[in-house]
Amino acid sequence: MLKSYEQTSLHLSHRLRRNRKQEWSRNLVREHRLNAADLIWPLFIIEGENVRQPVASMPAVERYSIDQAVIEAEKAAQLSIPAIALFPYVSPSLRDTTGSEALKPNNLICRTISAIKKAVPDIGIICDVALDPYTSHGHDGLLDGEIVLNDETVALLVQQALLQAEAGADIIAPSDMMDGRVGAIRQGLDAQGFENVQIMSYAAKYASAFYGPFRDAIGTQTVLTGDKKTYQMDPANSDEAIRETAMDIDEGADMVMIKPGLPYLDIIRRIKDTFGMPTFAYQVSGEYAMIEAAARNGWIDGEKAMVESLIAFKRAGADGILTYYAPRIARMLKEGRL
């Protein structure tokens, strides 16, 4: 019987399954790996003391008061996470049409930067530059009726970036998608002696449905008027992402980011291949919430889906990933479970 099978079977010179047959072999030929140095952890900050406030639409994600954010930054450093990204939940009483709270030296984010830098000086701090957490209308810039003003907004973003740099921010990350803001911020930083502060531009940020839980976390979900399609990118466009990224690089961006992540893996690949720049992906709140919701309903294995989603970013060409899973992945790596 065995001889008969041998005579009728195909002779395959190449059997790709040979490399998959055992775990040690799979590890040996693995093309992409996650490590803690790939991770940036976004943190939501809120006023108060000893506050840990759950975000309803993002299971296991919380808003932290400054003292608790310092504790989380210390944990991140212990897990070898190289950087954290800070986003404020601004009290509605402090929001106005111009986002004036963003331009106050003692605002929530500036105080958080100073506190974390004092306690954990070796962790990188990335600061969002945009007005939407501070405006009463939820948009990223100044409004004239329903029009978001570009140049007038850019002038305010430069001031916001300077305040964050003065507080100790290592990387300024403009997420507003106003034209020319990277060049203006670079010029402003250099003029004030902050030439070594890096800029991570949200080079290709799409007008996406996946931002809902994030807006819940920063408190703008219910106040946003209209949509952001006039300044964030059309999800149908790919070539435009190349033009946007080229502009930001020409204006002085040190690294570029694509947002959202999983629905735009093709954009990550194109940008990395085209420019060879340090390229980052933001696994946004909606991506995180979908995985968590499906896992909690027993529809998928949440831990495996988490790891698979992050590997996808590395495979697409991302050098690093902003993800709410950062501490969970870093802990798994530290324990040798990945």
Side-chain angles (χ1 to χ4, degrees), residues 15-27 29:
R15 292 182 181 272
L16 299 184
R17 288 180 58 186
R18 281 194 287 258
N19 287 339
R20 304 174 193 150
K21 68 182 185 299
Q22 291 177 297
E23 185 175 2
W24 66 262
S25 182
R26 292 192 296 273
N27 289 337
V29 301

Side-chain angles (χ1 to χ4, degrees), residues 24-327:
W24 66 262
S25 182
R26 292 192 296 273
N27 289 337
L28 195 65
V29 301
R30 183 160 294 139
E31 298 175 32
H32 300 282
R33 286 179 170 82
L34 280 171
N35 62 65
D38 298 324
L39 305 172
I40 297 169
W41 186 18
L43 293 177
F44 298 110
I45 312 300
I46 194 170
E47 291 283 6
E49 189 173 341
N50 199 31
V51 176
R52 288 174 173 261
Q53 188 179 85
V55 178
S57 55
M58 299 179 70
V61 172
E62 297 176 302
R63 304 180 188 98
Y64 302 104
S65 56
I66 294 175
D67 57 315
Q68 296 302 302
V70 168
I71 293 171
E72 296 307 303
E74 290 171 339
K75 289 180 183 177
Q78 291 165 6
L79 290 169
S80 300
I81 295 171
I84 56 177
L86 304 179
F87 299 92
Y89 177 93
V90 178
S91 169
S93 64
L94 296 177
R95 300 177 195 162
D96 57 29
T97 57
T98 63
S100 62
E101 184 67 16
L103 307 182
K104 295 179 180 178
N106 202 39
N107 66 29
L108 177 60
I109 286 298
C110 289
R111 284 183 280 122
T112 304
I113 298 167
S114 298
I116 291 175
K117 271 300 175 186
K118 183 177 180 180
V120 198
D122 292 332
I123 199 163
I125 296 181
I126 301 171
C127 282
D128 177 57
V129 173
L131 297 181
D132 54 322
Y134 303 92
T135 58
S136 53
H137 45 70
H139 280 284
D140 296 59
L142 299 175
L143 288 183
D144 181 6
E146 296 182 357
I147 298 172
V148 177
L149 300 173
N150 191 93
D151 297 5
E152 294 85 348
T153 296
V154 169
L156 299 185
L157 298 177
V158 173
Q159 296 179 50
Q160 184 184 14
L162 285 171
L163 288 176
Q164 294 174 350
E166 289 169 0
D170 299 289
I171 298 177
I172 299 299
S175 66
D176 56 287
M177 290 300 286
M178 299 297 121
D179 292 331
R181 89 275 201 214
V182 170
I185 290 171
R186 182 74 274 160
Q187 185 176 2
L189 290 171
D190 292 354
Q192 295 298 317
F194 296 112
E195 61 274 1
N196 289 324
V197 172
Q198 297 151 270
I199 295 177
M200 175 190 286
S201 75
Y202 286 61
K205 181 179 180 181
Y206 286 84
S208 172
F210 288 93
Y211 302 146
F214 175 90
R215 291 174 184 161
D216 179 22
I218 66 169
T220 63
Q221 180 78 313
T222 58
V223 302
L224 178 63
T225 58
D227 57 48
K228 302 190 178 186
K229 293 179 180 178
T230 64
Y231 51 101
Q232 294 179 1
M233 287 180 57
D234 186 337
N237 292 356
S238 174
D239 291 343
E240 185 182 11
I242 302 300
R243 295 176 62 200
E244 285 278 7
T245 303
M247 286 176 61
D248 285 359
I249 293 170
D250 287 345
E251 292 175 17
D254 299 288
M255 51 194 79
V256 296
M257 185 205 299
I258 296 86
K259 182 181 181 183
L262 283 177
Y264 297 91
L265 293 177
D266 60 317
I267 306 300
I268 298 169
R269 181 79 268 164
R270 283 196 69 185
I271 287 175
K272 185 62 177 179
D273 287 347
T274 301
F275 301 105
M277 284 282 289
T279 302
F280 292 80
Y282 198 143
Q283 185 180 47
V284 299
S285 59
E287 299 170 57
Y288 172 88
M290 287 193 304
I291 293 172
E292 286 300 296
R296 287 166 188 249
N297 276 286
W299 299 334
I300 61 173
D301 183 317
E303 188 170 277
K304 289 181 179 178
M306 169 185 68
V307 173
E308 187 176 338
S309 68
L310 296 176
I311 286 288
F313 295 123
K314 296 293 291 182
R315 193 182 65 244
D319 297 290
I321 309 154
L322 288 85
T323 176
Y324 304 98
Y325 286 125

